[in-house]
């Protein structure tokens, strides 16, 4: 694979395209805001796990976000019936409830 663009440039462009601030992305990915700032300025390269988190939130492939010449959109994920029901219910919630639900799930996953 050929790298055609810098990670920081792609990250910045996706934040603009998705209408997110760096603080929004930090909150949604659980990546420290100061670390995310270093990624945006190109002074630190992210670990693959953080690239995956950001790519998931931004709905791009991790390889594309890294700057490689690959398809931008990730391959579709097959959801189970339970996951599909959860997603439909989640989408019907307002933004504040979505944030609370996300925080609850993250906390449960850590325990």
């Amino acid at each position: 694979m050929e790298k055609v663009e810098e990670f920081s440039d792609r990250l910045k462009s996706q934040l603009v395209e998705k209408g997110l601030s760096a603080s929004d992305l930090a909150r949604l990915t659980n990546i420290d805001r100061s670390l995310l700032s270093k990624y945006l300025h190109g002074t630190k390269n992210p670990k693959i796990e953080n690239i995956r988190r950001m790519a998931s939130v931004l709905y791009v492939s991790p390889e594309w976000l890294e700057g490689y010449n690959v398809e931008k959109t990730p391959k579709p994920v097959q959801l189970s019936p339970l996951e599909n029901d959860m997603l439909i219910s989640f989408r019907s919630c307002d933004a504040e409830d979505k944030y609370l639900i996300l925080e609850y799930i993250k906390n449960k996953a850590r325990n």
Side-chain angles (χ1 to χ4, degrees):
M1 285 188 289
E2 179 186 359
K3 199 164 191 177
V4 294
E5 195 171 355
E6 291 300 318
F7 168 81
S8 60
D9 294 332
R10 288 217 169 148
L11 181 58
K12 288 176 204 172
S13 73
Q14 284 308 290
L15 288 176
V16 170
E17 186 175 309
K18 305 295 188 206
L20 294 171
S21 68
S23 294
D24 293 332
L25 185 61
R27 180 177 45 81
L28 292 167
T29 58
N30 205 27
I31 295 172
D32 186 80
R33 175 67 179 90
S34 63
L35 184 58
L36 188 59
S37 179
K38 291 176 183 176
Y39 297 161
L40 287 164
H41 289 96
T43 59
K44 183 159 180 70
N45 292 321
K47 294 181 180 178
I48 189 64
E49 179 56 35
N50 286 346
I51 292 172
R52 287 183 183 135
R53 288 181 189 176
M54 290 181 279
S56 177
V57 167
L58 298 169
Y59 197 66
V60 296
S61 72
E63 296 82 9
W64 182 88
L65 189 59
E66 284 183 272
Y68 291 104
N69 188 19
V70 297
E71 290 291 322
K72 180 178 179 179
T73 308
K75 293 179 176 119
V77 175
Q78 186 67 31
L79 299 178
S80 71
L82 176 60
E83 290 168 325
N84 194 52
D85 287 347
M86 290 172 63
L87 184 56
I88 290 168
S89 297
F90 182 79
R91 286 181 173 165
S92 69
C93 295
D94 64 29
E96 185 176 337
D97 286 342
K98 284 179 181 177
Y99 178 73
L100 292 172
I101 291 165
L102 181 61
E103 289 302 309
Y104 174 79
I105 291 170
K106 285 180 180 178
N107 286 332
K108 290 300 272 185
R110 285 186 210 128
N111 295 329

